[in-house]
Amino acid sequence: MSKMLTEQPHRRYNILTGEWILVSPHRTKRPWQGKTEKSATDQRPQYDPNCYLCPTNTRANGEVNPDYKSTFSFINDFGAIVMDGEQTEYNEGLFKAISEQGICKVICFSPDHSLTLPLMSVDGITNVVKLWKREYAELGAMEAINHVQIFENKGDIMGCSNPHPHGQIWAQSSIPEEPRKKTATQLAYFQNHGRSLLGDYLKQELEAKERIVAENEDFVALVPFWAIWPYEAMIIPRKHYSNIGQLSASEERSFAAIIKALTIKFDNLFEVSFPYSGGIHQAPTDGKEHPEWHFHMSFYPPLLRSATVKKFMVGYEMFGNPQRDITAEMAAKSLRELSEVHYSQS
C-alpha cells in the first residue's frame, strides 16, 4: 500500500457523496489524556413492564401493544413528520420554507427486551429484513411518499430513547440530502459507464482485500475507503440491486447473517454492546426506475479507543471537513481479526 495512505496526512474522496475527508495516520501515536468514563453494564430482563415497546404493554398514547412473537411495527406516537399537515410554502425575501409530510414508524425487532441484533438469531434478523422489505414497499407505494429511510440508533449515546431492540422508518415527500447526493453521483457514473458505481467499487475492494471485514455468498461487509467514523462499516450486496425489495428469500437470510456477523465483531472489539447509527440507503420511491442505485447499509459507531472513549465532530471537523486518525485499513484489520462468536457466549 502507498506510504501516503499509511503514514502521511492525506485526503480521501467519497465516491458516493462527492465530499472529502482528511486522514492523519501519524496521529495514532499521540498519547490520550482526554475524557474517559466507566463502561456501563447492559444486562436487561426479557420483559420490562415499564417498556412501551414490550408486548402487551400500554404506550404513551394509550394504545396496547399486541402480544407479538416476532416483529412488530406501528406509527410513531411522537413522529417527526405527519401526513395530515397543510401543504404550504413560505417565501419572504431570503427566508424560505416549505411544509413536509410523511410517516414515522417504529420497528420492533423482537419481543425479547434483552436482545440486540448481534444477540438475535439469524432467523430472527431475517424476520426483521422481511419487515423492512414490506414497509419499504407499502410506504413507498403511497403517492405522497418519495423516500423511505430505514435506520436504527443503538445505545443511549446515540440518542436511543428505549433499549428495547428496535429501529425506525421515516417515509417522506422530499428526498433527504444524503440520498440526494448519492443519487446524483451514482446516476452520473451509470450514465458514463453503464454500470453500478458501487458494483465497480466492490470489485476493486475485493481485489485489494485491505478493508474487507466479513463476506458471504451474497453480501460483503467492509470499512469504506473514505470512512469518517473510526469503525464505520458498509454492507454491500454483490448483485446490483437498487432496493431491498429485490432480495430473494435466500438473500434475505444472507443479509441477516452478515448483519449479525458484523455487529458481533463490533461488540467483540471492546467487549461492550457497541453503539451505532445504522441505516439503509436505497432507491427513492418517487416513481422513477433508478437503475443507477445500488443499495447498501452503513453503520456509524462513535467509539474510538475503548468502550468509553468516543469520537466527536469538533473544531476543524465542524468548520472544515471530517478528519480521522485511525485509517480505514487499520479499522478493517481490527474488525476482521475478531471472532464471529459473541464475547458473552464464548
Side-chain angles (χ1 to χ4, degrees), residues 112-142:
D112 190 333
H113 185 80
S114 69
L115 295 180
T116 56
L117 284 177
L119 294 174
M120 290 175 61
S121 67
V122 172
D123 285 344
I125 302 174
T126 301
N127 289 332
V128 176
V129 173
K130 290 179 182 294
L131 180 56
W132 285 340
K133 284 181 62 175
R134 186 166 70 248
E135 293 286 354
Y136 174 81
E138 292 178 357
L139 291 168
M142 298 175 65

Side-chain angles (χ1 to χ4, degrees), residues 43-231:
Q43 295 182 336
R44 303 192 303 274
Q46 290 184 314
Y47 170 75
D48 182 347
N50 297 312
C51 170
Y52 63 85
L53 298 181
C54 278
T56 73
N57 286 359
T58 302
R59 302 202 305 274
N61 67 350
E63 292 188 23
V64 177
N65 296 330
D67 189 15
Y68 64 97
K69 304 300 182 183
S70 176
T71 57
F72 169 54
S73 65
F74 61 92
I75 295 178
N76 196 325
D77 303 326
F78 302 96
I81 41 179
V82 295
M83 285 294 288
D84 55 3
E86 182 184 357
Q87 298 304 292
T88 58
E89 292 189 23
Y90 177 84
N91 282 288
E92 292 291 340
L94 297 178
F95 303 147
K96 183 176 182 179
I98 185 169
S99 57
E100 180 74 350
Q101 62 179 159
I103 299 173
C104 292
K105 301 196 75 171
V106 176
I107 308 295
C108 295
F109 298 159
S110 168
D112 190 333
H113 185 80
S114 69
L115 295 180
T116 56
L117 284 177
L119 294 174
M120 290 175 61
S121 67
V122 172
D123 285 344
I125 302 174
T126 301
N127 289 332
V128 176
V129 173
K130 290 179 182 294
L131 180 56
W132 285 340
K133 284 181 62 175
R134 186 166 70 248
E135 293 286 354
Y136 174 81
E138 292 178 357
L139 291 168
M142 298 175 65
E143 185 177 356
I145 300 302
N146 292 306
H147 186 266
V148 177
Q149 182 61 60
I150 298 169
F151 67 98
E152 177 198 7
N153 291 324
K154 181 189 173 198
D156 54 4
I157 68 169
M158 300 307 293
C160 183
S161 61
N162 188 313
H164 191 100
H166 76 284
Q168 298 182 58
I169 298 179
W170 289 18
Q172 61 192 103
S173 55
S174 67
I175 299 175
E177 289 303 296
E178 288 301 303
R180 184 188 60 77
K181 287 184 285 188
K182 290 186 177 184
T183 296
T185 54
Q186 290 180 100
L187 179 59
Y189 191 90
F190 188 80
Q191 289 175 335
N192 287 332
H193 302 277
R195 301 188 303 274
S196 154
L197 172 62
L198 275 186
D200 283 0
Y201 168 72
L202 181 57
K203 181 180 179 181
Q204 190 172 340
E205 285 285 22
L206 288 169
E207 291 172 352
K209 298 185 184 303
E210 293 167 343
R211 288 166 291 274
I212 306 298
V213 175
E215 55 184 304
N216 61 28
E217 183 179 356
D218 301 304
F219 290 88
V220 178
L222 53 81
V223 176
F225 180 77
W226 55 83
I228 292 176
W229 297 94
Y231 294 96

Side-chain angles (χ1 to χ4, degrees), residues 122 126 129-130 133 216-219 239 241 246-258:
V122 172
T126 301
V129 173
K130 290 179 182 294
K133 284 181 62 175
N216 61 28
E217 183 179 356
D218 301 304
F219 290 88
K239 293 182 179 178
Y241 290 146
Q246 296 170 291
L247 296 178
S248 68
S250 64
E251 289 167 335
E252 292 170 356
R253 187 172 178 81
S254 290
F255 191 20
I258 201 86

